[in-house]
Amino acid sequence: MKYTKTLKVRVRDNHRFLLNNMAKSVNFVWNYVNELSSRSIKDRGVFLSNYDLQKYTQGANKELSLHSQTVQQVSKEYVTRRKQFKKSKLNWRKSHGVRRSLGWIPVNTGQAKWKNGCVFHNGQYFKVWDSFGLSQYKFRSSSFSEDARGRWYFNVVIEVETEKSTGTKAVGIDLGCKTAATDSNGGAVEGREYRKLEQKLGIAQRARKKQRVKTIHAKIKNRRADTLHKYSRKLVNESAAIFVGNVSSKGLVKTKMAKSVLDAGWSTLKTMLEYKCAHA
């Protein structure tokens, strides 16, 4: 039995200029269909479908240096988000300024391939730090995305074989603030990654070192994700059933414990356990 999962690898920095230009073109297409759809709703009361929008963007890829499938994916994603948020007009994607939109380049299934040790898309080779052995997988839908520090990543959906858990015992998990999670087997994950770097973050914020602030936030996020990934993987491999305490983080974030609750990463742990258990 197979299941799908998304792999994320970092793109080498020497491709940043090219990807930034492609992202600006993607933003242009998004803003165009956003305005077009909004005016159609306002003037005629008609919601333009993905099929309708593609008529207006046909052939634009040559002028924008994008793959034709990427332009179609932008229109498709726009319609999906418009229905999701139930709005006639969505947020404008900014390419310049302090609060510009982070780069995003959607790639349709089969339009990105592993070739000559690189990701090949739209006639360009993109070198990546391949920690997964991408050559062994067949790429499905994928995308390029940018983080807050300006680093680019290639995200690709693949199919892998299900690995069944060999565990025979059930385990219960108690969620907390001082210790993010404690299980009935005696294991625990401390969490509190924000607290560990809070002082350094405060110094950087007072000094108005924006890049330093972004770096510290990214370090906190990466440390938390790494810890929770290792902990959840260990639980899934060694357990037959996992029960998590029913603690409402939405309610607690409105109290004085908000900082500790957000630092614990309960929802992230639950999400990891949910999809890893499904795969096992």
Side-chain angles (χ1 to χ4, degrees), residues 30-45:
W30 176 278
N31 295 334
Y32 173 74
V33 297
N34 190 20
E35 184 66 25
L36 191 67
S37 176
S38 176
R39 291 191 63 177
S40 176
I41 295 170
K42 184 178 179 180
D43 297 342
R44 299 183 294 156

Side-chain angles (χ1 to χ4, degrees), residues 8-273:
K8 183 178 181 179
V9 295
R10 187 179 164 191
V11 181
R12 301 288 178 103
D13 289 340
N14 57 309
H15 301 295
R16 188 179 294 182
F17 180 77
L18 174 60
L19 289 169
N20 284 339
N21 286 336
M22 292 173 66
K24 289 178 183 178
S25 296
V26 167
N27 290 349
F28 180 85
V29 176
W30 176 278
N31 295 334
Y32 173 74
V33 297
N34 190 20
E35 184 66 25
L36 191 67
S37 176
S38 176
R39 291 191 63 177
S40 176
I41 295 170
K42 184 178 179 180
D43 297 342
R44 299 183 294 156
V46 177
F47 285 82
L48 296 178
S49 66
N50 178 35
Y51 178 76
D52 296 327
L53 291 174
Q54 288 184 14
K55 291 180 180 178
Y56 290 97
T57 58
Q58 189 173 8
N61 61 293
K62 295 180 180 179
E63 296 294 330
L64 298 172
S65 299
L66 294 174
H67 196 284
S68 59
Q69 296 288 334
T70 295
V71 176
Q72 293 178 17
Q73 283 295 102
V74 174
S75 300
K76 183 179 179 180
E77 183 70 14
Y78 174 79
V79 173
T80 301
R81 299 307 170 194
R82 188 188 64 193
K83 291 179 180 178
Q84 177 185 353
F85 297 112
K86 298 178 180 179
K87 291 184 177 181
S88 60
K89 190 172 186 178
L90 300 182
N91 291 337
W92 197 263
R93 288 190 64 86
K94 300 178 181 179
S95 299
H96 304 283
V98 178
R99 295 186 177 181
R100 70 180 183 87
S101 303
L102 296 182
W104 165 66
I105 305 167
V107 180
N108 204 357
T109 301
Q111 302 309 318
K113 301 177 181 179
W114 186 258
K115 191 174 181 181
N116 297 331
C118 302
V119 174
F120 182 74
H121 169 67
N122 196 30
Q124 300 287 340
Y125 288 93
F126 298 92
K127 293 183 179 180
V128 300
W129 277 280
D130 180 20
S131 56
F132 297 102
L134 294 177
S135 59
Q136 62 182 310
Y137 301 113
K138 183 178 180 180
F139 294 178
R140 300 184 68 178
S141 59
S142 54
S143 67
F144 292 93
S145 61
E146 183 189 20
D147 67 6
R149 290 186 289 176
R151 297 179 176 182
W152 280 90
Y153 295 85
F154 177 66
N155 316 285
V156 60
V157 178
I158 61 165
E159 281 189 348
V160 295
E161 293 289 342
T162 301
E163 297 180 5
K164 293 186 178 180
S165 172
T166 57
T168 57
K169 296 182 179 180
V171 61
I173 302 175
D174 182 30
L175 303 177
C177 291
K178 289 187 177 180
T179 303
T182 306
D183 61 69
S184 56
N185 290 337
V189 54
E190 182 183 353
R192 302 179 70 82
E193 301 298 340
Y194 179 85
R195 296 286 188 182
K196 295 174 183 177
L197 294 174
E198 187 175 14
Q199 186 176 1
K200 290 184 178 180
L201 181 61
I203 293 172
Q205 289 174 332
R206 287 190 292 273
R208 297 184 179 181
K209 296 181 178 180
K210 295 182 180 180
Q211 195 61 38
R212 176 63 175 161
V213 171
K214 290 180 180 180
T215 300
I216 294 174
H217 274 300
K219 186 177 289 187
I220 292 170
K221 179 182 177 182
N222 292 339
R223 283 184 179 181
R224 183 185 296 119
D226 181 64
T227 302
L228 295 179
H229 267 301
K230 291 176 180 178
Y231 181 69
S232 58
R233 172 49 58 195
K234 186 174 184 295
L235 285 175
V236 171
N237 289 346
E238 298 177 355
S239 308
I242 300 175
F243 299 89
V244 184
N246 186 19
V247 181
S248 175
S249 57
K250 290 184 179 180
L252 290 174
V253 293
K254 299 177 182 179
T255 67
K256 293 181 179 179
M257 296 189 295
K259 188 182 291 186
S260 296
V261 170
L262 294 173
D263 195 15
W266 295 339
S267 61
T268 304
L269 177 60
K270 289 179 180 179
T271 300
M272 289 180 178
L273 286 173

